[in-house]
Every structure is written in C-alpha cells, then in structure tokens.
Amino acid sequence: MTTAEWNDWRCQMRLRIRSLVQVEQVFQLSDDERAALSQHTTGLPVGITPYYASIMGLDDPSEPLRRTHIPVEQEYLKNPGEANDPLSEDQDTSTPGLVHRYPDRVLFLTTGTCSTYCRYCTRSRMVGQAGGEYQFSTRQAEQALAYIEAHPEIRDVLLSGGDPLTLGDEKLDWLLGRLRSIPHVEFVRIGSKVPVVMPMRITPKLTAILRRHHPLWLSVHATHPAEFTPEATEALARLADAGIPLGSQTVLLKGINDDVGTMKTLMHALLKCRVRPYYVYQCDPITGSAHFRTPVSKGLEIIEGLRGHTSGYAVPTFVIDAPGGGGKIPLSPNSVVGRDGADLLLKNHKGEIFRYPDPHGSEG
C-alpha cells in the first residue's frame, strides 16, 4: 500500500485480510489457527484491516489482539448454555434492524459490516453475512424511522450493527439528520470500534458531520492497551475536540485483559484520550466463545482491584447482559458487611471495616 492508500479508510476496508491465503502472507500461523482457517466457510467472517494487523503480534499466536481476530478450532465447539442469539435480540425486534427492549430507547442496527470481526461478537449470527456487507437499505431504515416516530416514549437511539462508522459520510449524515428531526429523540449514540481499528476513518469531514447532529455520544469498543497507538489517540482527540462525549465498552476476555494490571492500564489509556470508562461486559455466551469467557468472579475481582486503587473515573460498571433478553445487570463487589445495631458495617478498598450511622436502614 502507498502512504495515500494506507491513510484512506476505504482502501483499508477494501484491502482487509480475509482469507487463509491472505492471513498466511502476514502472520506466522500456529497449527491451531491454520486448521481453523482451513475449515472456515460460513459464519462470522475473518476481516482485519491492514492497520490493525500492523499492531498485532505477527509471529506470536498468544498476542492479545491477534487472539481476538484470528479464529482457532475452539470456535467450532458449542458448549452448554451457548446460543447464536444469547441475548434474544431477535425476539425484541420491532421492525427489521430495530430492537426495542428498554422502555425509552432502541437499538438501531444500521449495517451488517464491521471493519474488523471480533471472534467473540454477540451478533456473529448476522454481521458480515451474505447481503450484509456494504448494504444500506434505505427502505428498511425508513421502516425503523417510522417506528421511532410513532413511539414518542423513545428518547434515546443507539446506532450499532455492524459498525455505523463503516457507512459512507453521506449515508451517515442522512440517517443522523432523520433521527435528529424526530422531536422526541433527545440524543443519539453510536457504538463503534473504528477509532482503534481503523483510525483513518475519523476524518475532519466525518467529525464535522457528527458535530452537526449534537447531542451525539460515541461509545468506543476498546479491548487492550495495545490499541492506543498515536493514530488511535489522534482519532479520539478529533472526536473529543468536536464536542462528542466519549465512553468506552470493554468485553472481559480470558487471557487477554482479565487481570487488574491490564485493565487498569486500559482504563488509564482511555481517560488520557478523554474517553470515560463506562461498561466492562462479561463475555456473552455466544456459540463457540467458551475459550474467551472468564468466571464472573474474575470480573468482580478486577472491579475490586480498581475501586479505591485508582481514580473513580477509571472504574467502569461491570455488567452481564442477561441471556434471554433480561438486559444489562450491574454487578459489584459486596462492600456492605452487615449491621451492628444502628450502624451499617462497610468494607473499604483495603479490607478495613467502618461504621456508618444508619438507624432506620437495612442491609439491603
């Protein structure tokens, strides 16, 4: 790639690493990776932007970012409790591409395309599938918009997919403009991994478009401190300078970010880029994801290792998106030890017990 091609997000999309032959040209594959790629014909595709590949371990199968994007044979095993749609999004779909689960907000699946495909993706049943990549059906979008217009209780719209920032500028501008024209839609959120996997997409033109549609928020899918290169840092700075509040969402992944040190470094990297750590998700029980999932106790251990040991802004909420459509359920270490008469007994970050006068309260 020429320098001009490297810095052109459309070239990054077009020249993604997608097949066994292409992966072998870039990475020194393990037997496990080669076997998985050799049998890969359906399901979640492989897709890695040249930029993102450049920050992976090309010779090390255990490198964290590489593990999240190159399949291994465990991906083809279905374990008890796993499902293709573990969050039952399909049952809450009101019109094609629109999930209405919570009372005042909807999830708008704008595209089936991502610039890179995470192997633990909760929507692996649908993203990157035939008819999904590079498709933007205005007719389906209008159906979803009509539903939102007809439901004045909807005040918050989350654009996801796929990745909304893989849409072209004109399409994204049109969609945001239509949403902002609906009086009861108070603000729009975009969920995206693009700033850290294809930062050249965050162009001055794109940030100008996003700025036009305030109030607009952006949730960055961040996985590991290695993603915070100078290019990603610059992309996030452009978004922040455009007045876009930034939050983060991180999936807890076994052997990748499941220790206090890595997670603390990641949260600090986010804060330095003006991104507020928001959620850490327990990995959804998507089919073939057992090798990524940690015990829930590991997430609680990490939150306990952050709270009180670093800035409160650096402590995200640990949640499980409940299988079966139960929604996000926050979990936290138990800091209430019990009661002693009128006093509530509390445990701090050092494990010390303190009393708080609470004569009319209860342990709950």
Side-chain angles (χ1 to χ4, degrees):
M1 299 175 69
T2 66
T3 300
E5 288 174 328
W6 183 267
N7 291 317
D8 184 336
W9 71 274
R10 293 185 183 277
C11 287
Q12 288 278 337
M13 288 288 292
R14 188 175 68 251
L15 297 174
R16 284 176 296 169
I17 301 162
R18 308 199 62 173
S19 67
L20 171 58
V21 171
Q22 291 174 326
V23 174
E24 281 186 314
Q25 290 175 341
V26 178
F27 297 92
Q28 183 177 328
L29 294 179
S30 67
D31 292 341
D32 191 4
E33 291 170 323
R34 181 173 286 102
L37 286 163
S38 296
Q39 62 182 298
H40 190 279
T41 55
T42 60
L44 182 70
V46 175
I48 308 171
T49 59
Y51 163 81
Y52 201 50
S54 75
I55 63 173
M56 293 180 177
L58 303 185
D59 303 319
D60 181 9
S62 65
E63 189 273 320
L65 300 185
R66 171 171 169 165
R67 286 185 55 207
T68 63
H69 281 74
I70 296 182
V72 294
E73 288 195 279
Q74 286 175 293
E75 186 174 308
Y76 302 103
L77 302 177
K78 183 173 182 177
N79 287 268
E82 294 181 346
N84 292 340
D85 181 20
L87 307 185
S88 298
E89 288 182 337
D90 292 345
Q91 76 177 13
D92 289 324
T93 296
S94 302
T95 189
L98 195 75
V99 181
H100 192 178
R101 170 168 296 160
Y102 298 101
D104 68 341
R105 53 204 184 275
V106 291
L107 172 68
F108 196 147
L109 303 178
T110 59
T111 176
T113 302
C114 288
S115 54
T116 64
Y117 292 106
C118 307
R119 308 318 300 172
Y120 51 87
C121 177
T122 198
R123 296 194 191 107
S124 59
R125 70 190 185 280
M126 56 189 295
V127 299
Q129 303 305 314
E133 290 233 320
Y134 307 110
Q135 299 299 310
F136 182 85
S137 169
T138 302
R139 182 183 60 81
Q140 285 191 3
E142 288 287 8
Q143 286 181 320
L145 290 163
Y147 179 91
I148 295 170
E149 288 174 326
H151 289 77
E153 71 274 18
I154 297 172
R155 49 176 287 278
D156 172 9
V157 178
L158 170 60
L159 302 183
S160 186
D163 195 314
L165 295 188
T166 63
L167 296 175
D169 290 343
E170 293 72 21
K171 292 174 181 177
L172 188 59
D173 192 21
W174 172 83
L175 180 57
L176 291 171
R178 285 285 285 109
L179 287 168
R180 298 302 303 134
S181 71
I182 301 173
H184 55 265
V185 173
E186 297 176 4
F187 70 106
V188 177
R189 293 179 287 156
I190 295 175
S192 179
K193 196 168 175 62
V194 158
V196 295
V197 298
M198 192 170 61
M200 51 286 297
R201 172 67 182 106
I202 312 302
T203 62
K205 182 180 178 182
L206 175 65
T207 53
I209 289 170
L210 298 178
R211 189 199 299 266
R212 281 203 295 272
H213 299 289
H214 280 316
L216 181 135
W217 297 58
L218 195 143
S219 294
V220 182
H221 177 187
T223 301
H224 191 273
E227 292 175 321
F228 288 81
T229 63
E231 294 90 342
T233 299
E234 180 181 351
L236 292 168
R238 284 183 177 177
L239 292 166
D241 289 345
I244 300 168
L246 303 174
S248 74
Q249 300 189 106
T250 296
V251 179
L252 181 62
L253 300 169
K254 185 177 181 181
I256 293 168
N257 57 19
D258 63 336
D259 64 90
V260 174
T262 300
M263 196 65 78
K264 183 186 292 187
T265 302
L266 175 58
M267 298 302 119
H268 290 176
L270 286 161
L271 283 178
K272 287 189 287 186
C273 291
R274 291 177 280 174
V275 182
R276 170 69 162 93
Y278 183 38
Y279 280 147
V280 167
Y281 285 96
Q282 176 70 10
C283 185
D284 293 330
I286 190 75
T287 301
S289 65
H291 57 298
F292 285 120
R293 290 199 305 277
T294 69
V296 173
S297 58
K298 175 58 69 173
L300 292 170
E301 173 190 316
I302 289 172
I303 298 301
E304 193 167 25
L306 294 175
R307 184 168 296 143
H309 297 277
T310 188
S311 312
Y313 277 121
V315 183
T317 299
F318 177 46
V319 297
I320 291 179
D321 212 338
K328 300 177 187 68
I329 299 174
L331 303 178
S332 60
N334 189 4
S335 55
V336 177
V337 177
R339 296 190 69 86
D340 184 9
D343 292 343
L344 189 67
L345 303 181
L346 305 172
K347 181 175 67 173
N348 76 352
H349 65 285
K350 296 180 180 179
E352 301 166 338
I353 306 300
F354 292 84
R355 293 173 177 267
Y356 177 81
D358 185 36
H360 304 297
S362 65
E363 287 186 28

